[in-house]
Amino acid sequence: MDFSKLAELLFPKSTSTPEEIEARFPVRTLPENACVTRIGPSPTGFVHLGNLYNAVIGERIAHQSGGVFYLRIEDTDSKREVEGAVETLIRAMNYFGVSFDEGAAADGDNGIYGPYRQSRRREIYHVFAKKLVREGLAYPCFLTEDEINAIREQQTANKENPGIYGKYAEKSRSLTIEQIKENIDAGMEWVLRYRGVMTDEYISVEDAVRGRLEMPGNNMDFVLLKSDGIPTYHFAHVVDDHLMRSTHVIRGEEWISSLPMHIELFNALGWKAPIYCHTATLMKLENGGKRKLSKRKDPELALSYYQQEGISPDAVWEFLLTLLNSNYEEWRIAHPEADYREFPYSFKEMSISGALVDMDKLKSISKDVIGRMSAQRIYDEWLGWCRQYNEKFAGLITKYPEKTLAAINVGRNAAKPRKDIESWKQACDFMSFYYDETFTLCDEMSEQCSDEALRKAFFAKYIESYCHDDDQAVWFDKVKAITEKLGFAVKPKDFKKNPDQYKGSIVHITNMLRIALTGRANAPDIREVSHVLGEETVRMRLDMWK
Ligand code: GLU
């Protein structure tokens, strides 16, 4: 068969040469060892943690090496596409502090290696598809869905591998150019298939995380272009990562099984394959076992969840870095003040078994991350979140900026600083007692303080002796004196030893005071809180009880 003729028949409108296309995408001039990475999400409308997980690796690897990190939209499956999904994705990545050097942008493209949306690169794919046809490496296939189903049934019955290959490809492969032309003229649909070679050989690929992968080579006549002329992921990824000059392809481990096809295509097109890095699947613990995170069951798979919950983007990054590099936590302890971007990210420290997404771990990392932030930064980020998710609180903290900053700082300068805030959402709850507008009694006073007469007596005495400017020692001496007078033990251990001799201990007394002032049993230091509240508020809250 004259493959050049076939190429013209199939792609009459494709007139550029591969060389012309190559020239449009020049080899990048970058420092030696600089990495070019990307994420290639599909615009399905659902941005998941896995997108950010791979973005964190790509961003670190590229920027750490003085390279380029870009965004490519893989929108070859129009059935899965949702309107506005690209904007949602870009906004989410921005929110989480992922910065792209080039790629798809909300209003078009940024960079010279575009278009960065695969749906706009059709002509480019066709040039290379035509080249493969011209070289006898690809052919049109007119098998109908019914015919393919029949083949699959036969393969299942014979316990053979499913797919179009070897003898199952014969019918399409043996068409003459005249028959092909007739079919096309008759309006029959066709896909373009790669002409696979039946082989027993193995391919050997060095994965950046997994080391050497040995796999059976490809022998499938897999689809390059679908009947609408749109490429499959396999073909588009190879063409794009070559032309956009990616040095590393960081993607989920679910793609490992297609690797032989991709390697075969790189070879067929005469291109050097990038370094692959197949990342571990996100998992969670359940009933003592591990399972894959599921879109249906696990809200924490959606990136929007972290935004809605008000988890600081920095906390999400540090959480992912902890999942991704086994030495991150150790590094953080040794460099408590450093920016996480200073951490030397490495493929070598990546785990290949599933990455455990543990919300308790995230909360604890988040507390540390917020603990390290300045009060002003906490205020700004919290306010930014409140403006979107809690207008009432946005109003409060803008009405009382100084009080809010002082409240944020309570307990943060101690030798063992308090780490009360784990998310902006939780901060709206935890900090609510500082504002009269949101102050409520959440907890009940302890049994030892349930007697009304006793309570009244305590508050009357406390208010009477209260001097807002007392220092910590004087203040505490006064509390101790009242405690003793009311028949409570000043030393908790005395009460423990001889519970019958006391009505309770100083712990019950301060707990009562804390609840009166903050509405809750678990709140920061009473004296510090009193100073943020101001004398008038303190007296008002205490007066209610006397
Ligand atoms: N569009 C692919 C996905 O969403 C991207 C895989 C890749 O990064 O090459 O899984």
Side-chain angles (χ1 to χ4, degrees), residues 38 40 42 74 233 250-251 255:
R38 84 304 187 271
S42 301
E74 305 212 326
Y233 165 76
I250 297 151
R251 62 182 184 187
W255 293 110

Side-chain angles (χ1 to χ4, degrees), residues 478-499:
K478 285 182 179 175
V479 175
K480 284 197 274 197
I482 306 172
T483 302
E484 208 166 9
K485 232 181 236 158
L486 291 177
F488 281 63
V490 169
K491 291 188 181 141
K493 68 170 191 282
D494 291 345
F495 171 64
K496 253 194 202 145
K497 251 194 259 158
N498 300 305

Side-chain angles (χ1 to χ4, degrees), residues 1 5 52 118 140 291 322 358 360 392 399:
M1 148 125 51
K5 247 194 192 159
L52 185 61
Q118 290 184 327
R291 69 161 172 80
T322 307
D358 171 356
D360 290 334
K392 182 176 169 192
K399 188 170 169 194

